[in-house]
Amino acid sequence: MANKEQKLFAEFPPVTTERWEEAIKADLKGADYEKKLVWKTAEGFNVRPYYRAENLEGLRFLGSQCGEFPYVRGTKKNNDWLILQTIEVECPREANARIHALLTKGVESIGLVIGNKEFSADDLDTLLGGVSLRNTELTFSGCATKKVARLFIEKLDRENAGSDDARANFVLDPIVKKLTLKGTMACKSGQCKGFENLASLIGAGAKYKKLRTVAVSGETFHNSGSTIVQELAFTLAAGHEYLVRLTELGVPVEKAARSIRFSMAVSSNYFMEIAKFRAARMLWANIVKEYNPAKNCACKMMIHARTADWNQTVYDPYVNMLRGTTEAMSAAIAGVHSLEVTPFDAAFEDPTEFSKRIARNVELLLKSESHFDQVVDPAGGSYYIENLTQSIAAEAWKLFLEIEEKGGYTAAYKAGFIKERIAASAAAKSFSVSLLWIFSSSMSFWFSSSSACNSSCFFSRSFFWSASSSFSLLSSSR
């Protein structure tokens, strides 16, 4: 039997970093090392061309395991994320039929966008008829979400549901959905009672452990043009503001923290996105820990991920399938709670049944064929990923503290700080896209004027055109 402790490369002498550097510089033949090999990211830190074990020294979070504080490696000891797909609810009976159809096709979490302000208790009963509330997670958004939350809690009370008998989230987010997108948290009456309403709902549903009545819509930042660090810092700042406001209203910190559901975008920056979610859990855990909750489980961050809208293309929509797949891979490897893949045609039409099926199947393949759900935090221990996690966490924390010094998210937003930062990032992205467009146009001209290239040139033109046009279109229409 083979010795499990055998060192396979023990007979080879170790190679020092100095020797690697000498070999690299020799291969560069005098070219500038920093310019050629060091990636100067938009996130505020540089990425080296390679990392070694020595680069892990000083990373304090490395000793934790999956399901242990600060949850950098995940909030649980498995990686069975929920496959989510969203339904527009106009007719409750028709929507109910679609819910049951999706549940037979591998979907485990249903998003319900309510389109009727007059939605009633009878409509809710019709919508959820035959749906197991214990086994199916539901996320409500759209018109009158606050009213639907009340109706849902009343329904649970009426049916004498147990504390674990329902899993539901309500996208009630006055900070991001109202203040950030609309400029005010005030209702039509001119009064701002958003936090009081949230505290009231938390109290009404206190007995139900798996209700999340507070949302932080972090994907809004990314889809407006933010960097990864900005998305993370602004999301944490908004979450912290909810924590502060709710505890001031008498909600225990444990209950307040466990009532928040975070949602974030996942872009095509593959490794950086994996690191972002890991850093997010770690930072949020440390934020909540400062409030001295009775148990560490209150420090767990529930994250829903949705593949990005920013980079969707209408010129070659099938490219969106590829982007959605790699983005889903990042989220799955990072250990999110739930994931929704945007249908590839969502940028220019109501998604078809085919595109929605493809979106579902991306996740089903990652689970059933690639077995991503069988391994928890496979990126853990990677010299590169661990250093990315640390770098993103450090930069996001620096920006988070800057927001706190300004009085918190609301004060920073009203002062123009949030808007200015995202506008600058979006402008930088648009500039980069413009350069890509110029490059692709020149390549297209070169290919079209060359008699030596036929099908291969057509492929190259299509590739560059789809890449450039997708970014420029979204930059101008976000």
Side-chain angles (χ1 to χ4, degrees):
M1 178 177 279
N3 181 6
K4 293 183 180 180
E5 301 299 322
Q6 182 181 3
K7 304 287 186 181
L8 296 179
F9 296 98
E11 64 270 26
F12 297 99
V15 180
T16 64
T17 300
E18 289 73 19
R19 288 186 61 190
W20 276 114
E21 290 291 306
E22 290 171 5
I24 291 170
K25 288 175 181 176
D27 287 342
L28 285 173
K29 296 181 171 60
D32 190 295
Y33 185 102
E34 293 288 323
K35 288 183 178 179
K36 287 286 186 180
L37 298 180
V38 176
W39 176 21
K40 295 174 176 59
T41 72
E43 312 303 329
F45 58 87
N46 294 339
V47 175
R48 308 298 302 175
Y50 67 96
Y51 290 89
R52 309 192 72 199
E54 63 202 54
N55 297 115
L56 297 182
E57 295 175 6
L59 302 187
R60 293 182 295 174
F61 59 82
L62 287 182
S64 64
Q65 298 299 315
C66 305
E68 295 179 359
F69 184 90
Y71 307 111
V72 65
R73 304 202 65 192
T75 58
K76 53 190 179 182
K77 295 187 177 181
N78 66 66
N79 193 30
D80 192 15
W81 76 90
L82 299 179
I83 300 172
L84 186 147
Q85 198 148 48
T86 298
I87 294 173
E88 301 278 344
V89 180
E90 296 296 338
C91 171
R93 193 172 303 280
E94 292 177 2
N96 175 263
R98 279 189 283 164
I99 291 173
H100 286 285
L102 288 178
L103 293 176
T104 64
K105 296 175 181 178
V107 174
E108 301 152 313
S109 180
I110 304 290
L112 297 165
V113 182
I114 307 299
N116 179 11
K117 291 182 179 179
E118 305 303 320
F119 196 81
S120 67
D122 289 339
D123 290 332
L124 184 63
D125 288 339
T126 301
L127 176 64
L128 301 181
V131 177
S132 170
L133 301 183
R134 174 183 280 270
N135 297 320
T136 306
E137 183 186 68
L138 303 171
T139 299
F140 294 90
S141 62
C143 295
T145 305
K146 180 179 68 174
K147 177 183 178 182
V148 175
R150 290 276 182 197
L151 293 174
F152 188 85
I153 293 170
E154 289 170 4
K155 175 181 172 66
L156 296 180
D157 292 340
R158 194 168 58 249
E159 296 175 356
N160 295 316
S163 60
D164 291 323
D165 283 351
R167 295 187 292 168
N169 313 301
F170 301 92
V171 182
L172 292 167
D173 186 4
I175 291 178
V176 180
K177 290 289 188 182
K178 285 194 172 183
L179 176 65
T180 306
L181 292 180
K182 299 180 180 179
T184 179
M185 284 190 279
C187 302
K188 290 182 180 179
S189 63
Q191 295 181 316
C192 177
K193 294 186 177 180
F195 300 111
E196 288 82 357
N197 290 331
L198 291 176
S200 176
L201 283 172
I202 291 172
K207 99 178 243 195
Y208 306 109
K209 297 178 181 178
K210 297 179 181 178
L211 293 190
R212 302 260 174 171
T213 50
V214 184
V216 179
S217 308
E219 73 279 3
T220 301
F221 305 118
H222 173 83
N223 291 327
S224 298
S226 77
T227 66
I228 285 174
V229 163
Q230 287 172 349
E231 179 193 16
L232 177 52
F234 297 156
T235 299
L236 292 171
H240 183 236
E241 181 118 349
Y242 281 123
L243 208 59
V244 171
R245 297 295 189 95
L246 291 171
T247 52
E248 287 176 348
L249 290 168
V251 180
V253 66
E254 294 86 357
K255 191 61 184 173
R258 290 174 67 87
S259 296
I260 302 175
R261 173 184 183 259
F262 294 85
S263 58
M264 301 177 78
V266 51
S267 73
S268 297
N269 199 335
Y270 188 79
F271 296 110
M272 200 84 79
E273 289 290 350
I274 295 173
K276 178 188 77 178
F277 290 115
R278 301 175 87 243
R281 287 192 297 265
M282 176 174 63
L283 293 179
W284 180 248
N286 281 283
I287 289 171
V288 177
K289 187 69 172 177
E290 288 299 306
Y291 288 84
N292 298 313
K295 296 182 180 179
N296 277 345
C297 59
C299 303
K300 294 181 179 180
M301 186 184 199
M302 178 193 273
I303 307 176
H304 167 67
R306 188 175 187 271
T307 56
D309 293 336
W310 175 271
N311 60 357
Q312 293 283 290
T313 172
V314 302
Y315 288 93
D316 190 359
Y318 296 113
V319 170
N320 296 334
M321 289 188 193
L322 303 178
R323 292 173 180 159
T325 300
T326 58
E327 289 165 2
M329 289 170 66
S330 293
I333 289 172
V336 298
H337 168 78
S338 57
L339 170 64
E340 181 172 20
V341 175
T342 306
F344 68 84
D345 56 352
F348 58 90
E349 66 178 356
D350 289 335
T352 63
E353 288 304 314
F354 174 69
S355 68
K356 288 186 281 191
R357 174 176 168 240
I358 293 296
R360 290 193 301 271
N361 285 356
V362 166
E363 297 189 60
L364 290 171
L365 289 170
L366 291 180
K367 280 191 173 188
S368 301
E369 295 196 14
S370 300
H371 305 296
F372 276 34
D373 60 332
Q374 300 299 308
V375 183
V376 186
D377 190 35
S382 159
Y383 305 152
Y384 180 43
I385 298 296
E386 298 292 11
N387 275 275
L388 279 184
T389 300
Q390 172 63 25
S391 296
I392 290 173
E395 291 299 318
W397 186 248
K398 190 188 304 179
L399 183 53
F400 171 81
L401 292 179
E402 195 173 348
I403 294 168
E404 291 301 302
E405 288 171 0
K406 295 180 182 297
Y409 182 93
T410 299
Y413 176 82
K414 290 180 177 178
F417 179 77
I418 308 290
K419 207 170 183 179
E420 288 170 6
R421 285 299 187 96
I422 294 179
S425 170
K429 286 185 178 182
S430 295
F431 178 72
S432 298
V433 169
S434 298
L435 293 179
L436 177 60
W437 185 85
I438 293 170
F439 173 71
S440 66
S441 297
S442 62
M443 292 293 287
S444 179
F445 174 79
W446 185 87
F447 281 130
S448 63
S449 61
S450 172
S451 60
C453 61
N454 295 309
S455 59
S456 62
C457 296
F458 174 77
F459 171 79
S460 299
R461 289 199 300 273
S462 299
F463 173 80
F464 286 118
W465 175 244
S466 65
S468 64
S469 59
S470 65
F471 283 107
S472 58
L473 175 72
L474 283 155
S475 296
S476 62
S477 64
R478 57 183 180 277

